[in-house]
Amino acid sequence: MSSKKRLVGVVPLGEVPEIALKVIAAHISGYLNLSVQILPPLEHPEYALDEKRFQYNAGIILKAFESKRFKDYDKVIGVLNLDLFIPIFTHVFGEAKQGGKFALVSLFRLRKNPDGSPSPSSLTYERAAKVALHELGHLFNLLHCREKNCLMHFSGGIQDLDETPIYLCRYCSTFLKDRLFRQSDNEESLKKLDKIPLNLLSSKERFRQ
Ligand SMILES: [Zn+2]
Ligand SMILES: [Zn+2]
């Protein structure tokens, strides 16, 4: 069994304040005890602009990540300052493929309070860290949680996000620890572990506290 920590890459797409990247990286290493590296910026994702919506398609950006070389990293979080959407929502704060390698976090909608007034940068970056940890949860196969007092609770708006705590409920926390500590050098045994929690637990069991 390897004791090597999993390595997470945080990569800006286009122009992103360095402090935002540092706050996100610090939260990932502080809360999840993972190794984190901030990577050189990737190009502005012009290819994902939807000209009718004037927004950027998160799915297209995540797809483009798959062709990039991030082989030294277990998970990679792209951070951008652009308005993201997926077709079923007007906007998203972040996006991740469940159990995948890549996630996105957008600062764009995190700069305003629920009443429309501008937020202090410190609050914007704390929200970004929250979104990053939530999306990383999806990458480690956590689903949305019904418990409102859990980081994996779905946030549709900024008020929801502000009311969502930065910590996981007991169930999600146990699940994530299990995922992180049962890592193995053997890809096959890791694949088997991947399947156990999702297939065997009914939704009732999943949310039991
Ligand atoms: Zn989510
Ligand atoms: Zn939870």
Side-chain angles (χ1 to χ4, degrees):
M1 181 76 91
S2 164
S3 61
K4 198 170 147 271
K5 276 191 194 175
R6 295 192 179 211
L7 181 57
V8 178
V10 174
V11 59
L13 286 95
E15 276 193 32
V16 176
E18 203 185 337
I19 182 79
L21 304 171
K22 285 186 174 164
V23 171
I24 289 170
H27 277 76
I28 294 170
S29 62
Y31 279 78
L32 301 180
N33 195 27
L34 301 172
S35 300
V36 189
Q37 278 175 10
I38 296 174
L39 304 174
L42 290 176
E43 74 278 9
H44 181 285
E46 207 51 58
Y47 55 85
L49 176 67
D50 183 301
E51 287 179 352
K52 283 192 190 122
R53 300 176 63 134
F54 290 108
Q55 288 178 301
Y56 293 79
N57 188 319
I60 291 178
I61 302 173
L62 286 179
K63 189 103 193 116
F65 266 40
E66 285 168 17
S67 63
K68 310 234 184 252
R69 296 175 65 84
F70 290 113
K71 67 176 172 55
D72 295 334
Y73 298 87
D74 293 294
K75 308 289 180 195
V76 178
I77 299 188
V79 184
L80 28 70
N81 219 345
L82 305 168
D83 198 11
L84 283 183
F85 78 100
I86 56 172
I88 55 165
F89 288 119
T90 56
H91 65 269
V92 287
F93 299 139
E95 176 69 356
K97 197 171 155 197
Q98 190 72 28
K101 178 164 175 171
F102 303 113
L104 294 175
V105 175
S106 165
L107 304 176
F108 190 87
R109 302 246 174 188
L110 306 180
R111 297 183 180 286
K112 284 188 178 163
N113 294 319
D115 65 3
S117 62
S119 309
S121 313
S122 56
L123 179 55
T124 299
Y125 301 148
E126 190 194 314
R127 288 170 179 154
K130 223 186 243 186
V131 175
L133 289 171
H134 175 102
E135 299 307 340
L136 203 49
H138 284 311
L139 296 185
F140 285 113
N141 245 331
L142 282 170
L143 298 168
H144 282 151
C145 181
R146 278 188 218 167
E147 173 59 60
K148 242 183 147 351
N149 228 1
C150 175
L151 179 64
M152 291 312 293
H153 191 75
F154 172 76
S155 296
I158 207 77
Q159 189 164 354
D160 290 346
L161 185 65
D162 286 346
E163 286 168 3
T164 300
I166 200 156
Y167 49 81
L168 296 167
C169 73
R170 212 168 66 187
Y171 170 77
C172 293
S173 169
T174 306
F175 182 94
L176 184 62
K177 274 186 203 139
D178 190 60
R179 294 275 317 162
L180 295 175
F181 292 131
R182 283 165 92 187
Q183 59 179 303
S184 159
D185 288 322
N186 180 330
E187 274 302 311
E188 278 313 303
S189 67
L190 199 61
K191 269 181 201 154
K192 271 182 219 152
L193 285 176
D194 278 352
K195 286 177 188 146
I196 293 167
L198 289 176
N199 293 348
L200 293 187
L201 297 180
S202 70
S203 60
K204 207 166 151 203
E205 285 171 312
R206 266 186 53 72
F207 298 110
R208 194 163 56 197
Q209 291 299 298

